[in-house]
């Protein structure tokens, strides 16, 4: 019987620590104009100062969804642009502090379409390295123009990062696309609200467990025009365990240490932990499949009808 890579790797797993701080924020102001957005930029910078002082050596900071503009009917009135002063100011701070930042923003890309709900990642050199556009805006109330893919990019400390935004995480295909493209860390920027506390936790934990990735979920904590945005930001490990979590209903800064290399090690083994491998090598433990299993073509539900 050819068991292939069905048994654990021998020896110690070496992996770097990725230290991530999460900002469970409320807006400084719900902006109605572009000029007011800068107040939220300044608040994020104030929190960056706090995080760097309180957690020396952190690699990355993650803010909630639309943390520059907020979400709601006003968002189209105060969109930023990719080359405007708001992002320029954040890029300069990232370069000064040598810190990565994933920030939520409503963006007018000046392409003739409505605004995009984006997660913008800036590296420690002050460069924008990823612009993710929310692929599944929340029906029936979010008018943002949808993106068309889950992207994966190289992050610090061996991380391969995918960003998703709020309701994106309610659809299993979005998590699977991230993992299938090689992500070992998924950032989920959210404005999740009551009464969906349980769904928020379930989808974060299921996304981590089924896809063997870390999930870094930064949620807003405030009352907006119509919703209670409950907080409970969390970090979930590849086994679906919450390893760090913020309280309900208050602004909060906390950090967690991630080991992206552990996800990589899991994916080099075909044991119970690697659900992606097992999906495409079903029955690998059986002598009938010679230790490699059967691919998805044998399953009738995938056949064209």
């Amino acid at each position: 019987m050819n068991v292939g890579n069905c048994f654990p790797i021998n020896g110690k797993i070496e992996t770097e620590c990725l230290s991530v701080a999460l900002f469970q924020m409320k807006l400084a102001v719900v902006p109605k104009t572009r000029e007011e957005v800068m107040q939220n930029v300044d608040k994020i910078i104030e929190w960056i100062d706090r995080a760097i002082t309180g957690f020396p050596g952190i690699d990355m900071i993650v803010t909630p969804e639309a943390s520059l503009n907020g979400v709601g009917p006003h968002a189209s009135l105060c969109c930023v642009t990719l080359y405007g002063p708001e992002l320029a100011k954040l890029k300069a701070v990232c370069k000064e502090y040598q810190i990565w930042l994933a920030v939520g923003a409503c963006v007018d890309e000046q392409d003739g379409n409505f605004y995009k709900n984006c997660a913008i990642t800036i590296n420690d050199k002050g460069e924008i390295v990823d612009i993710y556009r929310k692929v599944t805006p929340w029906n029936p109330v979010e008018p943002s123009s949808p993106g068309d893919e889950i992207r994966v990019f190289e992050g610090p400390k061996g991380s391969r990062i995918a960003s998703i935004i709020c309701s994106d995480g309610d659809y299993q295909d979005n998590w699977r696309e991230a993992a299938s493209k090689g992500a070992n860390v998924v950032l989920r920027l959210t404005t999740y609200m009551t009464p969906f506390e349980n769904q928020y936790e379930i989808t974060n934990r299921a996304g981590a467990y089924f896809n063997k990735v870390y999930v870094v979920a930064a949620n807003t904590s405030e009352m907006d025009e119509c919703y209670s945005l409950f907080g409970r930001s969390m970090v979930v490990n590849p086994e679906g365990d919450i390893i760090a979590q913020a309280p309900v209903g208050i602004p909060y800064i906390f950090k967690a240490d991630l080991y992206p290399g552990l996800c990589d090690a899991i994916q080099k083994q075909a044991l119970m932990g690697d659900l992606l491998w097992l999906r495409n090598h079903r029955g690998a433990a059986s002598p009938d499949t010679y230790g490699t299993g059967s691919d998805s073509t044998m399953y009738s539900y995938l056949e064209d009808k």
Side-chain angles (χ1 to χ4, degrees):
M1 175 180 174
N2 176 18
V3 296
N5 63 344
C6 291
F7 294 112
I9 299 171
N10 292 324
K12 182 180 179 181
I13 297 172
E14 299 285 354
T15 179
E16 289 191 270
C17 173
L18 173 66
S19 187
V20 180
L22 288 78
F23 287 1
Q24 180 167 290
M25 306 185 71
K26 62 180 294 184
L27 298 176
V29 61
V30 178
K32 301 297 190 298
T33 66
R34 176 83 179 272
E35 291 71 26
E36 292 179 319
V37 172
M38 195 61 80
Q39 295 181 48
N40 292 320
V41 172
D42 290 340
K43 180 172 182 177
I44 290 172
I45 292 172
E46 175 192 335
W47 278 41
I48 290 173
D49 291 338
R50 293 181 180 183
I52 288 176
T53 302
F55 305 116
I58 57 172
D59 300 297
M60 189 172 202
I61 290 168
V62 182
T63 79
E65 176 185 16
S67 53
L68 298 188
N69 323 78
V71 294
H74 65 278
S76 62
L77 304 175
C78 57
C79 292
V80 302
T81 64
L82 293 175
Y83 304 102
E86 301 86 1
L87 290 177
K89 196 169 185 178
L90 291 172
K91 289 162 67 176
V93 169
C94 289
K95 182 177 181 179
E96 176 184 357
Y97 287 127
Q98 299 180 17
I99 193 83
W100 287 62
L101 172 69
V103 63
C106 297
V107 178
D108 178 3
E109 296 199 74
Q110 302 176 320
D111 58 359
N113 295 317
F114 213 52
Y115 75 87
K116 311 292 197 309
N117 187 344
C118 296
I120 299 170
T121 301
I122 303 167
N123 69 11
D124 55 357
K125 298 179 178 62
E127 304 162 336
I128 293 178
V129 294
D130 186 67
I131 304 165
Y132 167 71
R133 299 143 180 103
K134 188 175 184 179
V135 299
T136 44
W138 186 42
N139 284 332
V141 299
E142 185 183 353
S144 65
S145 182
D148 58 7
E149 67 170 328
I150 309 294
R151 303 162 58 89
V152 176
F153 60 94
E154 298 290 332
K157 303 294 183 68
S159 61
R160 292 185 304 281
I161 299 173
S163 298
I164 61 174
I165 299 175
C166 207
S167 56
D168 285 334
D170 297 333
Y171 300 87
Q172 61 182 349
D173 289 348
N174 294 332
W175 296 101
R176 182 52 52 86
E177 182 176 350
S180 296
K181 289 181 175 179
N184 50 30
V185 176
V186 176
L187 310 180
R188 188 183 188 189
L189 287 63
T190 64
T191 53
Y192 233 91
M193 73 286 287
T194 297
F196 305 117
E197 291 92 338
N198 287 341
Q199 290 91 328
Y200 177 69
E201 178 178 333
I202 288 168
T203 51
N204 286 333
R205 297 180 72 175
Y209 176 71
F210 285 123
N211 298 289
K212 296 305 169 192
V213 296
Y214 281 98
V215 172
V216 178
N219 194 31
T220 308
S221 180
E222 67 174 321
M223 290 284 293
D224 68 9
E225 295 95 329
C226 50
Y227 296 115
S228 175
L229 308 167
F230 53 77
R232 286 189 66 201
S233 302
M234 63 181 66
V235 178
V236 186
N237 72 13
E239 296 303 315
D241 302 316
I242 298 173
I243 59 174
Q245 185 173 21
V248 173
I250 62 172
Y252 206 76
I253 301 174
F254 68 109
K255 73 114 176 171
D257 293 332
L258 286 57
Y259 296 87
L262 291 179
C263 301
D264 298 339
I266 290 171
Q267 294 170 9
K268 292 176 182 176
Q269 305 172 52
L271 291 173
M272 291 181 291
D274 187 357
L275 303 182
L276 287 175
W277 192 92
L278 290 171
R279 176 179 180 269
N280 297 312
H281 300 81
R282 302 189 197 191
S286 171
D288 296 332
T289 60
Y290 307 103
T292 58
S294 298
D295 65 28
S296 59
T297 59
M298 71 170 285
Y299 297 98
S300 61
Y301 78 91
L302 294 173
E303 293 176 0
D304 292 332
K305 301 298 183 184

